[in-house]
Amino acid sequence: MGQSFLKCLVTLVMAVLIAGPLSASEGSDSANELASLLKGYESYQADFIQIVVNENGNKVQETRGSLKAKRPGLFYWETSAPLSQFIVSDGETVEVYDPDLEQVTIHNLDDRVQSTPALLLSGEVDNLEDTYRVSGRQIGDNTLEFTLQPRSPDSLFTSLRLTFFKGELQEMRMQDSLAQLSVLSFDRIRLNEPVEAGAFTLDYPEGVDIIRDGA
């Protein structure tokens, strides 16, 4: 799997994370608090802006799009032109459609993907601390941050920070091993609202190339 694809999966960590007020904490306390929060959300829908900044602090990419997620393991991710891409998962496989390339790639949700924050969408979160070092802090009366640092040296990111304001996830910041920072800001958040039955299927034209990567 390509790194860009896995980064798209990583961004979906936010899809069920809406927190209530917590006091600052570290280690197992934060991991347990986060796990209990994750279990309470059945669906999440939002629009987003994603900005990528390089190690020199220069913006190298900006994309806009929308996402939908529903337990267990269902998600839909769409970015708009000029970097149009569609990603859909049914909990067992992931389909990535690139209209410009006229190509669909189908991936299995293998162990490497399962070790990314995408697991937080649909997997078991009781043992969250086994995969991440988790810390949390309260900022003022209304803002809460969780920071996750992977324990595996093979992870595609070095830190992931989730920022909540008045109980809603407003921003996610992910830094990778090359010091590149991806910042996602969310708007029009809809929590636990019904999601249409066809939201997690891709509709692409006949004749596109279909590549199965271990599927």
Side-chain angles (χ1 to χ4, degrees):
M1 286 184 171
Q3 183 168 338
S4 60
F5 165 67
L6 286 169
K7 282 186 177 179
C8 289
L9 286 179
V10 167
T11 63
L12 296 169
V13 65
M14 82 293 295
V16 292
L17 298 178
I18 303 299
L22 298 175
S23 59
S25 57
E26 295 181 353
S28 60
D29 289 343
S30 286
N32 291 336
E33 293 281 8
L34 181 55
S36 67
L37 291 169
L38 287 170
K39 294 176 183 177
Y41 293 91
E42 298 178 359
S43 69
Y44 180 98
Q45 302 174 74
D47 296 336
F48 64 83
I49 300 175
Q50 181 180 21
I51 295 174
V52 179
V53 178
N54 64 18
E55 67 275 13
N56 297 319
N58 299 318
K59 183 171 73 173
V60 296
Q61 181 177 306
E62 179 177 327
T63 55
R64 295 173 182 263
S66 63
L67 65 88
K68 301 174 184 178
K70 183 178 180 180
R71 289 185 179 272
L74 302 175
F75 67 78
Y76 172 92
W77 164 275
E78 174 182 348
T79 55
S80 305
L83 298 172
S84 181
Q85 187 179 61
F86 301 82
I87 302 175
V88 172
S89 176
D90 62 2
E92 295 183 359
T93 62
V94 178
E95 294 181 73
V96 182
Y97 172 39
D98 288 295
D100 292 340
L101 299 177
E102 297 183 344
Q103 176 178 292
V104 175
T105 306
I106 302 175
H107 307 266
N108 275 334
L109 284 178
D110 59 19
D111 291 341
R112 193 180 186 202
V113 174
Q114 295 283 3
S115 68
T116 72
L119 179 65
L120 301 179
L121 288 172
S122 59
E124 293 293 333
V125 293
D126 290 328
N127 299 318
L128 194 61
E129 197 178 15
D130 292 345
T131 306
Y132 308 103
R133 296 179 180 88
V134 184
S135 62
R137 65 170 182 160
Q138 186 84 38
I139 304 174
D141 294 331
N142 299 313
T143 301
L144 173 71
E145 287 183 355
F146 279 115
T147 299
L148 290 79
Q149 295 177 305
R151 295 185 182 276
S152 171
D154 298 326
S155 177
L156 292 174
F157 69 97
T158 58
S159 68
L160 179 72
R161 189 176 76 192
L162 310 173
T163 302
F164 305 86
F165 179 72
K166 291 186 176 179
E168 288 191 349
L169 181 68
Q170 299 292 319
E171 182 183 87
M172 185 185 76
R173 290 175 175 253
M174 183 190 72
Q175 188 157 19
D176 64 23
S177 58
L178 300 177
Q180 183 169 268
L181 179 67
S182 297
V183 181
L184 287 105
S185 301
F186 305 99
D187 191 19
R188 298 183 62 211
I189 299 167
R190 286 90 69 199
L191 298 177
N192 291 338
E193 292 185 2
V195 184
E196 59 272 23
F200 304 104
T201 58
L202 277 182
D203 183 16
Y204 41 81
E206 292 185 6
V208 300
D209 291 332
I210 298 178
I211 302 172
R212 296 183 179 272
D213 180 12

